[in-house]
Amino acid sequence: MNDFPRWKYILIVVVILAGLLYALPNVFPQDPAVQVSANRGSLVDDAFKERALGLLGERKIVPVGADIADKRLLLRLSNPDQQLVAAETLREALGESYVVALNSASTVPGWLRAVGANAMTLGLDLRGGVHFLMEVDQRSVVLKQTERYVDDLRGFLRSQKIRYRSVTRTPEGIVMVLRGEEDRRKAAEALPTEIPDLEIREGEGSADGYALIATVRPTAVQAEQDKSIEQNLATLRNRVNELGVAEPIVQQQGASRIVVQLPGVQDTVAAKKILGATATLEYRAVDTSVLNPMEAAATGRIPPDSRLYYQRDMGLDGKPVPVILKKRLIVSGDQLVNASSGFDQQTGEPMVSVTLNNAGARRMQDFTNANVGKGMAVVFIERTPVVKVVDGKEVRSTRVTEEVISIANVREPFGKNFQTTGLESSEEASSTALLLRAGSLAAPVDIVRERVVGPSLGQDNISRGFRAVLIGLAAILIFVALYYRVFGLIADFALLLNLVLLVAVLSAIGATLTMPGIAGIVLTLGM
């Protein structure tokens, strides 16, 4: 007679049923798919969906499904060949307005997903995907840091009323040419306290004045390089999140390298574009000495301390409108603390609300205090990596897009918090704020090595792993049944339940299955 209480049998049945329920999604295969997302100023809506389906219909490609979620269009195809043709067709037709990427789509029924039952995420070696090794350009970090100190030194000398002729960056450091010996003495005494990251030494005097040479301390250079790596890691993680990749890996390797692994992403071009793209804002003063920017652009007569830009909005004649801006930067995107999108309460236009850090706030406050009534322009800069095949070899370059999105007169002084308007739509304001929150890369990154695991190789690994589990499981079941007979059959049943529960738990917690994971499952069964 069995003395176990009834509730234990009920508990066993409930656990088994729950295990079967949460292990079931792994039976459903994934469909090859094409994912389309919008760039700045573009929309993914029902009208766009119909347009995409029409483009594919011209090539006699009929998707098995088309869904819009998270402002992305996911087109399910019946086989990988159709997937490649569909992606190529959409890229050619949509151009730079949209990002078209190859992906895979789950076929797990909705009623299973509703209770949180999803298939295990497959790792790079099983699902296929891309592996990037990126090198951070540390020289640009030092250059950027030095240029920032040049502006800081000029501001400090002016605030202390120390007379100077020039402050310039040279290979040996930042050279300050002071007007007199007393000016040099005052600067040499005050600078170590005001800017402790700089080492100050006297230079050789000349007819032009008395020189001081400032160099950045090695500890400050190292700290800036470490900070750039941390910022780039955070930025790349945010970019990867925008790709919608499950279980990505973004981690530092060595002193200046970053490893990025994107399981399931088969399109290296689209991945490079999103990972390598940098977007930021720059605030620059309008050069009021140029009365006719159109004439200056046509003749090339631009003051040496200014630069030619073009507004995003076209003129009445359909041509870009030139703007002459000062080369000296007021505030850049790396001094941004936060950015959020919304609507201007007075005009109702889309806008981005910007918050600066303390250093940026001081510089913006100083500029607006001295330039009330004058113009200030907002420049949107986007750097996108471009890969072309020339004579069978990949040639990498960078396409830089610089647009003046807003020009406004400074009505009153402001500093830490302000708004940027002039955006085309609320979607563009949202995407701009998102890129700014994600941050521009603190330093450019170069892809020094890339590896692509194709879906066919990943499928081959899955087949081999599945075969290994079956062979190992069959061998154990047969041995136990023959050796232990009736008790062996009971043990075999328990072993099968163990495998089902193991898969169910891994699926429920969202674990990533890799080849070493499959080996671990085989080892668990053997033990």
Side-chain angles (χ1 to χ4, degrees), residues 396-409:
R396 293 184 174 91
S397 59
T398 302
R399 182 177 66 251
V400 180
T401 304
E402 296 181 318
E403 299 174 320
V404 177
I405 63 174
S406 175
I407 298 179
N409 288 329

Side-chain angles (χ1 to χ4, degrees), residues 31-32 53 61-67 75-79 82 107:
D31 284 337
L53 292 175
I61 298 175
V62 180
V64 297
D67 304 300
L75 299 167
R76 300 169 182 265
L77 287 307
S78 56
N79 58 65
Q82 282 196 351
T107 59

Side-chain angles (χ1 to χ4, degrees), residues 124-256:
L124 191 69
D125 50 357
L126 297 179
R127 188 179 177 187
V130 293
H131 169 101
F132 293 123
L133 179 62
M134 298 178 167
E135 181 88 38
V136 179
D137 186 1
Q138 299 285 28
R139 289 178 300 177
S140 69
V141 177
V142 178
L143 179 61
K144 192 174 181 180
Q145 182 185 33
T146 305
E147 289 176 346
R148 189 169 66 247
Y149 280 127
V150 168
D151 289 339
D152 291 344
L153 286 171
R154 286 174 180 154
F156 170 75
L157 294 176
R158 283 195 299 269
S159 66
Q160 298 296 316
K161 298 181 180 179
I162 298 175
R163 300 175 302 160
Y164 69 95
R165 295 186 182 276
S166 64
V167 179
T168 56
R169 180 177 57 83
T170 67
E172 60 176 332
I174 303 172
V175 177
M176 296 168 283
V177 179
L178 289 309
R179 289 184 179 274
E181 178 65 35
E182 180 64 19
D183 296 315
R184 181 166 69 173
R185 184 188 64 78
K186 289 172 61 178
E189 290 178 354
L191 280 172
T193 303
E194 182 68 22
I195 310 178
D197 289 339
L198 294 179
E199 293 179 346
I200 308 296
R201 70 178 191 274
E202 292 187 0
E204 295 181 2
S206 64
D208 294 335
Y210 298 83
L212 277 180
I213 301 175
T215 55
V216 185
R217 298 181 187 275
T219 53
V221 172
Q222 185 61 49
E224 189 72 13
Q225 291 176 340
D226 293 342
K227 180 182 175 183
S228 70
I229 289 285
E230 292 177 5
Q231 182 175 333
N232 278 7
L233 281 170
T235 300
L236 289 173
R237 288 192 181 104
N238 287 329
R239 300 268 173 86
V240 168
N241 290 338
E242 286 306 299
L243 276 170
V245 179
E247 298 294 335
I249 294 176
V250 182
Q251 61 188 16
Q252 183 176 348
Q253 184 181 87
S256 61

